[in-house]
Amino acid sequence: MLNSPASFSRRSGSSKKRRAPTDSETGVQDDQDAPPKKATKLAPIFATPADKSAKSEMLPGVFRWLKPLGAKRTCLFGLHLDPLAAVTASTPVRVAAFDLDGTLIVSPFDKSKGKAKGKGGGGALSGSGGFQWWNAVVPKKLEEVKEQGYVIALISNQKVTGKTMDKFKERLPLIARKIPKIPFFAYAATTADEFRKPMPGMWLALEQLLSKRGLSIDKENSFFVGDAAGRAEDFASTDRKLAVNIGLPFYTPERYFLDAGPTEAELPPLTGFRPPTASEQPASEAERVSEPELPITRTEQEIVIFVGPPCVGKSTFYKTRFKEAGYVLINQDTLKSRPKCLKATEEALEKGSSCVVDNTNRDAATRKSYVSLAKKAGVPIRCFVFDAAIELAWHNNLYRAFIEPSTDSRRSATHASDTAELSTKSDRAGASRELVPYIAFTGFQSAYEAPQADEGFAEMRTVRWMFEGDEVERKAWEMWLQISGK
């Protein structure tokens, strides 16, 4: 038989249980948009004073939707009973994480299995949020991990709306009624943002919830089970990519529940964009910029124009190479229009200042306007071309908008676990970078005209991409980052 995490023996340790925090301590709130529900008995850890007076004969298998997570409340969050009831004060938490559709239950979108017999019962897929177990063994396996002291978490992508979303929200209480004594957390990403697998937002939310209680996660002995594993028959590989991102052992449903199919090591290679490793990037500044013998800045007045897609380090390059030398920054994101950028450039030249035009400057016609200003002022203009693929630019966009680590100077790779040191956008103080729309990248690519020396540039330099950050930041940047696709 497969030596799955469900077969691990329960760890010994102090039997002293951690005090159960209240809603006000954890910050969880009821979902005010959820349909009204009958009074039911709740686990003390999450019960309000009114709930604690509930009669004992009420249904024990209660599932409760709480306030959604994230700055835009895009991640649904709920719980069944008290998922932390078996957690002791001295033992790291082992998490048994499961995808939902196609893993614990038959996917509501799989018409070929929607009315199949012998899959384990649990209700038809039609009607008000009905469901059917993926296999009859599922409830038993969930009971096993519960008895072994795991905290169970359901982590699901649910980018649906309207009646389909209503049925999903109704389905979780029905599942809870079929496993009335098995507590679990439930997370559901409802849009394309930091919570959508394989982005780590839902896992980070769980880590943060546990951290508020002084708890850490034993990743080595935790695991994730999901059907989106990148096999030929799979619709995606997002479950497996999430497991890789957060550093958990991974199982397909067949492998975990039935001891069948390939092990994680036997699964086909994951596909999709991966950022260049450290060995594939320039090792030094000298290797990053072409013509390394030439200075980056000059003492005489000039215009420097950047060319490249969004999110490839142009602004950072200005701050670290040109700002201290007194170059004025001309940026359309700040000034909002090209005419204002041209006016600001002209004003800087009239004052005797050099300037850097930090825009995409994707075609010759756009660049010609700045070449003309340079000629009019009698100063040279140089061009720095940022050599980076659109796929890398989009990856950087996702990283800095959603999971860029905190820049707190006290943060160190020697403190806390890898992903615990990261924070989602909604929890980072002062976070202001918004996701650049994908059309900005495809628009640049479709209209791009490579700069030529005969456009009037006194000098042309190429700048290769190089990640600048510490090891914790690098590990986060090297994750599988995507909010759509396989």
Side-chain angles (χ1 to χ4, degrees), residues 87-372:
V87 175
T88 64
S90 60
T91 307
V93 175
R94 291 178 295 159
V95 175
F98 298 89
D99 176 43
L100 182 61
D101 299 334
T103 298
L104 295 184
I105 66 172
V106 173
S107 172
F109 307 103
D110 188 345
K111 296 181 180 180
S112 67
K113 297 181 180 179
K115 296 182 179 180
K117 301 293 184 181
K119 271 285 185 178
L125 288 174
S126 59
S128 180
F131 79 98
Q132 188 172 19
W133 292 120
W134 180 81
N135 188 280
V137 75
V138 169
K140 180 180 178 181
K141 295 287 280 188
L142 293 176
E143 178 66 27
E144 287 179 7
V145 292
K146 175 237 178 180
E147 289 301 317
Q148 292 170 11
Y150 284 84
V151 170
I152 298 174
L154 311 188
I155 299 177
S156 177
N157 284 347
Q158 294 291 333
K159 192 180 177 182
V160 294
T161 58
K163 292 183 178 180
T164 305
M165 175 55 72
D166 292 339
K167 288 184 178 182
F168 168 74
K169 295 183 76 172
E170 294 166 356
R171 188 170 295 122
L172 270 294
L174 295 179
I175 292 172
R177 290 180 186 180
K178 293 294 181 179
I179 47 175
K181 297 182 180 180
I182 301 177
F184 60 84
F185 289 113
Y187 296 86
T190 63
T191 193
D193 62 8
E194 67 264 43
F195 295 106
R196 184 171 179 81
K197 294 180 294 185
M199 303 294 278
M202 289 189 280
W203 178 261
L204 293 177
L206 175 61
E207 282 194 339
Q208 290 161 6
L209 184 153
L210 296 175
S211 179
K212 288 178 181 178
R213 294 158 174 75
L215 301 171
S216 62
I217 297 178
D218 176 3
K219 289 186 180 180
E220 184 178 353
N221 291 307
S222 297
F223 61 92
F224 186 77
V225 181
D227 65 315
R231 297 166 294 181
E233 67 273 22
D234 293 338
F235 68 96
S237 58
T238 47
D239 288 331
R240 186 170 153 214
K241 286 177 178 177
L242 173 64
V244 172
N245 283 348
I246 59 183
L248 294 187
F250 175 79
Y251 298 87
T252 63
E254 292 83 1
R255 189 68 185 174
Y256 181 76
F257 292 114
L258 307 178
D259 194 18
T263 64
E264 182 176 12
E266 295 168 339
L267 289 168
L270 290 167
T271 60
F273 177 78
R274 292 307 302 271
T277 63
S279 63
E280 296 170 326
Q281 299 176 43
S284 65
E285 186 67 22
E287 293 183 22
R288 184 182 185 189
V289 184
S290 64
E291 312 296 336
E293 69 278 4
L294 300 176
I296 297 293
T297 60
R298 293 184 173 181
T299 55
E300 64 268 28
Q301 187 183 23
E302 66 171 342
I303 296 176
V304 172
I305 187 170
F306 289 170
V307 176
C311 305
V312 293
K314 298 189 299 296
S315 297
T316 300
F317 193 78
Y318 162 77
K319 292 175 183 177
T320 56
R321 278 77 173 180
F322 289 93
K323 186 176 181 179
E324 288 189 3
Y327 283 69
V328 176
L329 176 65
I330 309 297
N331 182 272
Q332 192 163 316
D333 290 341
T334 302
L335 298 175
K336 304 304 181 185
S337 71
R338 188 183 304 168
K340 288 184 178 180
C341 288
L342 292 168
K343 182 179 179 181
T345 302
E346 190 169 18
E347 291 174 349
L349 294 175
E350 289 173 355
K351 294 177 181 179
S353 299
S354 293
C355 54
V356 170
V357 183
D358 173 21
N359 298 327
T360 60
N361 299 309
R362 62 188 183 183
D363 53 53
T366 300
R367 299 188 290 265
K368 183 177 180 180
S369 299
Y370 294 100
V371 173
S372 298

